[in-house]
Amino acid sequence: MSLLTPDIGLLFWMLLSFGIVFFVLAKFGFPIIVKMVDERKTYIDQSLEAAKQANTQLLGIKEESEKILTEARNEQIRILKEANEMRQKVVGEAKEQAQIEAAKVMEDAKRNIEREKMLAMRDAHSQIAMLSITIAEKILRKNLENKSAQLELVEQLIDEVQKN
Amino acid sequence: MIKNNIHRILLLLVAFSLSVSTICAEEEKAEINVRELILDHVGDAYDWHIATIHHQLVSIPLPIIVKGHQSGWSFFSSAKFHHGHEAYKGFYIAPEGDYKGKIVEWVNGEEVRPWDFSLTKNAATLVMSSLVLIIFILICARWYKKREKTPENASPKGFIAFVELVIMSVVNDVIKPCIGKNYKRYTPYLLTIFFFIIFNNLLGLIPIFPGGANITGNIAITCVLALFTFVIVNFFGTKEYWKEVFWPDVPVWLKVPIPIMPAIELVGVFTKPFALMIRLFANILAGHAIVLGLTCMVFLTVSLGTAMNTGMSILSVVMTVFIDCVELLVAYIQAYVFTMLSAVFIGLSQVEAHHAKH
């Protein structure tokens, strides 16, 4: 049957056509496409890998930054605490100092007042003495203006002396 | 919407089959020989018959290239034969006999075949489809070549993306697993046969010019394809492959003194590509034959009356559409199978020493 016997002419044309198709496509067609697809695949794989690495790095950085942040926060707390302590200490010290100072001032003031008082008292005493002398003088003078009075006094004084 | 469309299509089918049957009723008074018709359509021809309109054959004459046993090379148009009715330069198309439908010449009272390199219908389609295939793939390759320097920009869209999808599915799902680590060397060949077969298969399914020629259902075509695979399998076979053919790992009495296993293995070397050849040829031929047979049902049932004829025509069209869809699938499957088996055979010829394997 002619269907099952290959025709020599068609065999020839087929060999020629397929040979050319094979040659051209195997040289200029498929290798380029497959190569490019492979290259793209490599590129994508690399990009993915790079992205993954970047992600990991980012995660590391994030962790680190968090760590730094926590540290900073702790430091802040510590500094604040220290400052507070310092402040309290300083304030306390100042208070103490002030108290001491105040006490000293008070003491001084007291002493001054005392002295002033003493001086004033002494002054007053002498003044009073002078005054009383003057008054006494005046009174005496007045009282002793007449003879009787002078005699009376003398008598009185003598009484007194006698009494003593 | 869809329902409406289905109704419309069905109506169209009925109308179409009715018109076909009336035309046939008018024209086909004589019994048609279905066997003859199918064989004529699936076979080769010296001119490209497109249609017959009012008993007038519309066909494209093709070049005839023959070398007669006495007359030497001749080159002329197939129109000179007047559709096989006349002889030219001592050559004529045999009306019957062993060489029925082929160009023959009369030498010493005997009908003999000259060296016939005519560009027949199949050959012409083949040349044309080869050119189209080359252009088609080169256009795709050019797209990639333009972007060779920048692989990050080379992700195609649309049609080229589809071609890439097909190429890479063949590479990744067929070639790589079947051959193994040396697959890169054979990828161009296997992709070429895949695209060659599927392209010609699909072209054969188009019933009108320039399709319709039964290329991959022709034994000469599949023979050459199988021959290429045979050559590549055996030419690039490893030492281990030949050792397995001539001194396989079986009990010694199977090899000496009568080399039973080597003989079987050696036969296997030839049956593998032979099976490839027959499988593709038979599948595509059968597909064409079924479609033609179903179409002939329209003309065969004319004599059974209009009602019967109409019914059978509708059935015929529906069945033809169905078989054509199946054939689309077969076109892909056969290309896939041919490529896969070629890859498997190449993979088998790439065997490493057994010890390395285990």
Side-chain angles (χ1 to χ4, degrees):
Chain A
M1 216 169 122
S2 72
L3 271 178
L4 283 171
T5 45
D7 192 65
I8 188 91
L10 201 54
L11 273 177
F12 164 77
W13 286 110
M14 175 59 188
L15 260 173
L16 190 72
S17 307
F18 187 72
I20 291 169
V21 169
F22 177 33
F23 175 77
V24 173
L25 294 190
K27 204 162 168 57
F28 307 108
F30 294 119
I32 292 168
I33 298 174
V34 173
K35 198 183 117 229
M36 286 292 286
V37 172
D38 280 348
E39 266 175 25
R40 194 173 67 215
K41 190 176 167 293
T42 323
Y43 175 79
I44 291 170
D45 284 352
Q46 277 174 357
S47 302
L48 278 178
E49 190 56 37
K52 215 165 143 192
Q53 267 181 10
N55 224 354
T56 327
Q57 269 179 1
L58 203 72
L59 220 69
I61 287 169
K62 216 174 170 185
E63 243 164 50
E64 205 156 303
S65 73
E66 225 142 76
K67 218 172 85 192
I68 289 169
L69 219 74
T70 325
E71 262 172 29
R73 212 167 283 147
N74 286 347
E75 187 80 354
Q76 190 198 20
I77 290 168
R78 197 180 59 80
I79 289 170
L80 275 178
K81 220 166 112 191
E82 243 170 47
N84 210 17
E85 269 167 23
M86 183 79 99
R87 187 178 61 108
Q88 267 169 2
K89 211 171 107 193
V90 167
V91 168
E93 264 174 22
K95 255 185 195 162
E96 229 167 81
Q97 199 80 22
Q99 261 169 5
I100 292 168
E101 204 74 5
K104 221 165 96 190
V105 168
M106 289 281 273
E107 198 76 14
D108 275 4
K110 241 183 223 165
R111 221 176 289 142
N112 267 359
I113 289 166
E114 205 72 22
R115 208 174 58 224
E116 290 291 313
K117 211 167 107 190
M118 289 276 277
L119 281 174
M121 285 285 266
R122 209 177 296 161
D123 207 29
H125 274 196
S126 59
Q127 291 251 344
I128 289 165
M130 289 291 283
L131 216 66
S132 46
I133 290 167
T134 317
I135 291 165
E137 205 183 81
K138 276 183 183 167
I139 293 166
L140 277 176
R141 206 170 284 163
K142 200 185 171 182
N143 283 354
L144 296 176
E145 267 172 7
N146 51 1
K147 277 274 189 138
S148 63
Q150 280 172 10
L151 284 171
E152 206 175 315
L153 182 66
V154 170
E155 275 174 21
Q156 199 176 355
L157 282 170
I158 289 165
D159 274 357
E160 264 170 35
V161 171
Q162 276 177 338
K163 268 179 197 170
N164 289 338
Chain B
M1 262 316 265
I2 295 166
K3 239 183 184 173
N4 263 347
N5 277 344
I6 290 172
H7 281 156
R8 222 172 281 166
I9 288 165
L10 280 178
L11 264 175
L12 214 76
L13 284 183
V14 172
F16 172 73
S17 43
L18 274 176
S19 61
V20 166
S21 52
T22 44
I23 289 170
C24 296
E26 277 168 17
E27 284 193 4
E28 298 282 326
K29 294 288 184 237
E31 276 287 301
I32 56 164
N33 188 343
V34 177
R35 186 173 172 274
E36 199 79 349
L37 188 142
I38 291 174
L39 284 181
D40 190 46
H41 270 83
V42 297
D44 210 347
Y46 287 102
D47 52 3
W48 200 326
H49 180 204
I50 294 170
T52 304
I53 299 165
H54 296 300
H55 301 284
Q56 188 69 46
L57 281 169
V58 179
S59 60
I60 300 169
L62 296 165
I64 303 283
I65 305 159
V66 283
K67 182 183 180 293
H69 289 283
Q70 290 158 341
S71 50
W73 289 101
S74 305
F75 181 88
F76 54 91
S77 161
S78 70
K80 299 278 198 283
F81 288 132
H82 292 94
H83 307 299
H85 299 308
E86 281 175 34
Y88 184 78
K89 285 189 182 171
F91 300 108
Y92 61 97
I93 296 174
E96 52 207 303
D98 287 346
Y99 303 128
K100 184 164 180 276
K102 308 271 186 198
I103 290 179
V104 287
E105 61 179 343
W106 201 258
V107 178
N108 302 331
E110 244 184 301
E111 211 169 50
V112 290
R113 283 276 281 147
W115 289 102
D116 182 2
F117 294 103
S118 307
L119 207 60
T120 56
K121 180 181 165 189
N122 279 350
T125 317
L126 184 67
V127 170
M128 206 176 60
S129 75
S130 298
L131 280 177
V132 173
L133 184 63
I134 286 175
I135 292 165
F136 166 75
I137 295 295
L138 286 189
I139 283 172
C140 295
R142 212 181 62 141
W143 189 93
Y144 287 91
K145 192 141 188 110
K146 268 190 196 161
R147 291 155 180 80
E148 211 171 8
K149 298 281 179 294
T150 52
E152 63 271 24
N153 294 334
S155 73
K157 290 180 183 63
F159 184 68
I160 293 175
F162 176 70
V163 176
E164 185 190 301
L165 176 84
V166 176
I167 291 175
M168 292 326 287
S169 82
V170 173
V171 171
N172 290 327
D173 300 340
V174 180
I175 301 174
K176 230 185 252 183
C178 288
I179 297 183
K181 67 177 168 43
N182 271 339
Y183 77 96
K184 280 217 164 100
R185 193 178 179 187
Y186 306 98
T187 305
Y189 169 68
L190 293 167
L191 282 172
T192 307
I193 47 172
F194 179 80
F195 276 91
F196 188 87
I197 293 171
I198 198 168
F199 192 72
N200 285 312
N201 279 352
L202 292 174
L203 197 67
L205 288 181
I206 302 169
I208 49 165
F209 181 83
N214 179 27
I215 303 177
T216 38
N218 189 297
I219 196 131
I221 306 296
T222 59
C223 177
V224 171
L225 287 172
L227 199 70
F228 267 82
T229 295
F230 173 78
V231 168
I232 283 176
V233 165
N234 293 296
F235 194 75
F236 295 111
T238 54
K239 231 183 251 172
E240 184 66 21
Y241 165 71
W242 289 110
K243 193 202 142 249
E244 278 185 5
V245 170
F246 292 112
W247 198 254
D249 219 0
V250 290
V252 178
W253 60 270
L254 283 171
K255 298 181 271 193
V256 180
I258 312 161
I260 302 171
M261 280 311 286
I264 292 171
E265 290 280 351
L266 199 62
V267 170
V269 168
F270 293 98
T271 50
K272 281 175 197 164
F274 187 77
L276 280 183
M277 169 176 91
I278 296 297
R279 181 180 299 107
L280 180 60
F281 157 72
N283 272 288
I284 305 304
L285 183 73
H288 279 250
I290 290 171
V291 171
L292 287 167
L294 284 169
T295 311
C296 285
M297 216 158 78
V298 176
F299 311 104
L300 284 175
T301 51
V302 171
S303 56
L304 299 176
T306 313
M308 190 66 180
N309 186 220
T310 308
M312 290 310 274
S313 299
I314 292 168
L315 187 70
S316 151
V317 173
V318 170
M319 288 297 283
T320 309
V321 168
F322 171 70
I323 291 295
D324 263 328
C325 290
V326 172
E327 283 307 304
L328 278 177
L329 201 67
V330 168
Y332 171 74
I333 290 170
Q334 286 309 316
Y336 182 87
V337 165
F338 197 105
T339 312
M340 191 183 72
L341 288 178
S342 293
V344 167
F345 296 154
I346 291 171
L348 286 176
S349 76
Q350 297 293 307
V351 280
E352 305 281 325
H354 269 298
H355 310 289
K357 243 192 227 169
H358 294 296

